[in-house]
Structures are given as structure tokens and as C-alpha cells.
Amino acid sequence: MTVTLYSVLKFVHVGSVVVSGSGFLLRYWMIRHGSATARTRAFRTAPHVVDTLLLASGVSLAALARIDPLSSGWLAAKIIGLIAYIVAGTVALRGPPRARAIAFTIAVAAFVYIVTVALSKQPLGILAGAGV
């Protein structure tokens, strides 16, 4: 079996998605339950490292595949979903206590949307296959 740069980058990208999403869920749960560990330097720094790897591998994949995000509807949809995920995730982890649960729900929905868009290569994600 030949291992290509594209397949390595895709493996890194998908792995980073799993680690990033799991890490977000863990951090939210820990903050929600008042864990001091969630406020440590390591817990605050690790997500930035993972997300930088995630973004770098995603940009590299798009460049290798010669996909222009401005002319590719599904990739543009992922980017818009990513912005929603970042904003909602930030509020969920650092925002006013009353807004955190709603922001968490929005962040998780945005994350799921991004994954379904990536898997389906359709701007509507799994909704595209449902005839919506």
C-alpha cells in the first residue's frame, strides 16, 4: 500500500477533529462542574495546539486537492460552520453563566454540521440526502 501525503494529512485532520471535539466536550463538562484542572495552563493551551494542527491540515488538504473555498460550496459552508463553532464554543466556555448552556448546544450543533458537510461534500450536510 502506498502512503501518500494526502492520506497522511487526512488522517491527521480527522484525528484532530476527534481530539478537538472530545476536548471541547471534556472542557465544558469540567468547567460546568467547577474543576480547577480545566483552568490550568495545559488545559488552556492544548486546544490551541490541536486546533492549529486541525486548521493547518485542512488548509493543506484543500491546497493539495486544489479546492478553492470561494468556489466550493461545501468548503465555504464548513468555514462558516467553523466560525459559528468558535464563537459559540468561546461563549460556552467563557461567557456569562446563563448563556453557556445555550452556546454549548449551538457549538455542538455547529460541530456536527461541519462533520456532516465534510462527509457528504454538500453545503447542507446530511440534510442534503434527506431531500430538504
Side-chain angles (χ1 to χ4, degrees):
M1 176 196 293
T2 304
V3 177
T4 65
L5 177 58
Y6 186 89
S7 63
V8 170
L9 285 171
K10 187 170 181 180
F11 179 81
V12 169
H13 188 69
V14 172
S16 297
V17 168
V18 172
V19 172
S20 179
S22 300
F24 173 70
L25 294 173
L26 177 63
R27 286 190 328 271
Y28 179 79
W29 184 86
M30 291 174 76
I31 289 170
R32 180 91 188 212
H33 290 87
S35 170
T37 305
R39 306 256 184 236
T40 63
R41 184 178 208 64
F43 263 81
R44 288 191 335 256
T45 304
H48 299 297
V49 173
V50 171
D51 292 342
T52 299
L53 187 59
L54 176 60
L55 183 60
S57 61
V59 169
S60 298
L61 284 168
L64 276 175
R66 298 179 186 191
I67 300 171
D68 177 10
L70 299 177
S71 61
S72 172
W74 69 271
L75 188 52
K78 275 183 63 172
I79 293 168
I80 292 167
L82 176 62
I83 293 167
Y85 174 64
I86 291 168
V87 171
T90 300
V91 173
L93 297 174
R94 299 184 186 145
R98 297 183 79 178
R100 288 182 181 181
I102 294 168
F104 174 76
T105 304
I106 293 168
V108 170
F111 185 86
V112 170
Y113 169 74
I114 294 166
V115 170
T116 64
V117 169
L119 293 173
S120 68
K121 304 282 190 279
Q122 297 292 322
L124 292 177
I126 59 171
L127 295 176
V132 175

